[in-house]
Amino acid sequence: MKKYIAGRFLQLIPVLLGITFLTFALLSLTPGDPAQKKLSAQGVAVSKEILEETRREMGLDRPWGLRYINWLSDLIHGDMGNSYKDGTPVAKKLIKAMKYTGILSFSAFLSALVISIPLGVYCGVKKNGALDRVMKWFCLAGNAVPGFLLAVLLMYFFCLRIQAFPVIAKGSVKGLFLPTLTLALPLSCRLIRQVRSSVLNQIGMEYIDGAKARGVLKPYILIFHILQNAMISILTVAGLSFGTLLGGSVVIETIFMWPGMGKLVMDAITARDYPVVQGFVMVMAVIYVVINLIVDICYHLLDPRLEEL
């Protein structure tokens, strides 16, 4: 297991290097001048001399390749640089915003699990029942509706019509409900169908018929046989969905003004604050890759036969 984990970490190095290169290259090709944006935001009259001096202070006068090498060298030493907008260290901004994104993502993920696992198991056991047919259409609708549209609909109903929740979340506990619901509902729809499919696949196995013939109680079969063996495929979707949840929260955080990494990076893109955008992409890439590694390790823990592969 240790050798496998070490090998996976070594594979991450070229992947992350490729991500840094592509991110830096694409941002350099983006229209707009960060120096001019900074001066305009400060209300300074932008003359040619002031613009050139600001570009020199920000390091934008150097060749693209040299800027990338310097940035990568600083990143390896743990320095993500400073924000073009206000000079604050990028790492400090990301750490502050990451707390709120983590709260929102974990809240939505746990809510989705609480909703989807019981419903998915029940729909699998009671195939073609009334609830199974209802959930089929519910899941189709939930997967079809875009996240931003769902957010607007929930905001209109809960914030404007019945005024139960604030329009602007501002990091409050009460403001957490609607962003969580917006992220949890589509994820629940995907997980319900996956759990149902996995349970149905296990129910049709011969070992289940054998357990029933031996008189094993149905709850025991369901929990310790069907669910345990179905967890591998469920874990795949759940693990990858959590990584998607972190990235997908960008739009939702912006709509509800939740002060997480999503809102931070959207503001940074608008202000052409490239160091913040680059830092965000790196953090998200590392998180996503680490989640995939954790999922793979869980595979081995759930199914020891994979050790032989």
Side-chain angles (χ1 to χ4, degrees):
M1 178 64 74
K2 292 181 179 179
K3 185 178 179 181
Y4 171 78
I5 295 174
R8 286 296 302 271
F9 270 113
L10 289 176
Q11 293 175 7
L12 300 184
I13 296 175
V15 173
L16 294 177
L17 283 175
I19 290 172
T20 62
F21 180 82
L22 287 175
T23 304
F24 205 94
L26 291 173
L27 287 175
S28 298
L29 295 173
T30 303
D33 189 344
Q36 190 168 16
K37 275 278 185 180
K38 179 180 179 180
L39 292 172
S40 299
Q42 294 174 350
V44 178
V46 182
S47 64
K48 184 178 179 180
E49 293 76 14
I50 295 177
L51 183 61
E52 289 179 355
E53 177 64 21
T54 304
R55 286 179 58 81
R56 186 188 64 78
E57 292 175 355
M58 297 169 68
L60 297 173
D61 60 329
R62 290 174 289 179
W64 177 87
L66 180 60
R67 284 190 285 125
Y68 171 71
I69 293 173
N70 291 337
W71 176 78
L72 185 61
S73 176
D74 292 339
L75 181 65
I76 293 173
H77 290 87
D79 182 9
M80 291 186 175
N82 297 326
S83 168
Y84 286 165
K85 187 176 181 180
D86 52 18
T88 305
V90 172
K92 184 177 180 180
K93 281 193 167 189
L94 291 176
I95 290 172
K96 182 180 179 180
M98 196 183 301
K99 177 182 70 173
Y100 291 98
T101 297
I103 291 172
L104 176 58
S105 298
F106 275 107
S107 176
F109 187 69
L110 292 177
S111 299
L113 291 180
V114 170
I115 295 170
S116 59
I117 291 180
L119 286 175
V121 171
Y122 185 86
C123 291
V125 174
K126 302 291 184 180
K127 180 183 177 182
N128 294 327
L131 182 60
D132 185 32
R133 290 195 295 269
V134 171
M135 293 312 300
K136 177 183 178 180
W137 291 106
F138 172 76
C139 292
L140 286 173
N143 287 320
V145 176
F148 71 89
L149 178 58
L150 179 61
V152 172
L153 291 174
L154 291 175
M155 184 181 291
Y156 172 76
F157 181 76
F158 286 103
C159 300
L160 300 180
R161 297 294 294 179
I162 64 176
Q163 299 182 357
F165 298 97
V167 176
I168 300 177
K170 293 183 179 179
S172 64
V173 175
K174 193 174 182 180
L176 178 64
F177 178 79
L178 287 183
T180 297
L181 187 61
T182 305
L183 292 172
L185 284 178
L187 179 57
S188 298
C189 294
R190 292 194 295 271
L191 290 178
I192 287 171
R193 304 309 294 174
Q194 180 62 40
V195 173
R196 177 186 181 275
S197 176
S198 300
V199 169
L200 282 174
N201 184 54
Q202 293 300 319
I203 287 176
M205 295 290 183
E206 293 182 358
Y207 77 92
I208 298 297
D209 296 330
K212 291 178 180 178
R214 293 194 304 271
V216 180
L217 296 176
K218 288 184 178 180
Y220 187 91
I221 294 174
L222 180 62
I223 296 173
F224 294 101
H225 291 285
I226 295 176
L227 273 180
Q228 183 175 349
N229 288 300
M231 279 305 296
I232 292 180
S233 58
I234 296 171
L235 185 64
T236 304
V237 178
L240 296 179
S241 295
F242 184 73
T244 306
L245 201 63
L246 289 169
S249 63
V250 171
V251 176
I252 306 304
E253 287 181 358
T254 305
I255 292 175
F256 289 102
M257 300 298 289
W258 183 259
M261 294 177 68
K263 185 177 182 304
L264 175 67
V265 75
M266 291 298 289
D267 292 342
I269 292 172
T270 303
R272 300 295 189 272
D273 197 348
Y274 295 160
V276 174
V277 179
Q278 290 160 191
F280 169 80
V281 172
M282 277 302 304
V283 170
M284 293 304 300
V286 170
I287 290 175
Y288 199 84
V289 169
V290 169
I291 288 174
N292 286 338
L293 178 59
I294 293 173
V295 170
D296 288 345
I297 293 172
C298 291
Y299 285 164
H300 288 74
L301 296 177
L302 289 171
D303 191 351
R305 292 174 299 176
L306 294 174
E307 293 284 354
E308 301 175 1
L309 299 178

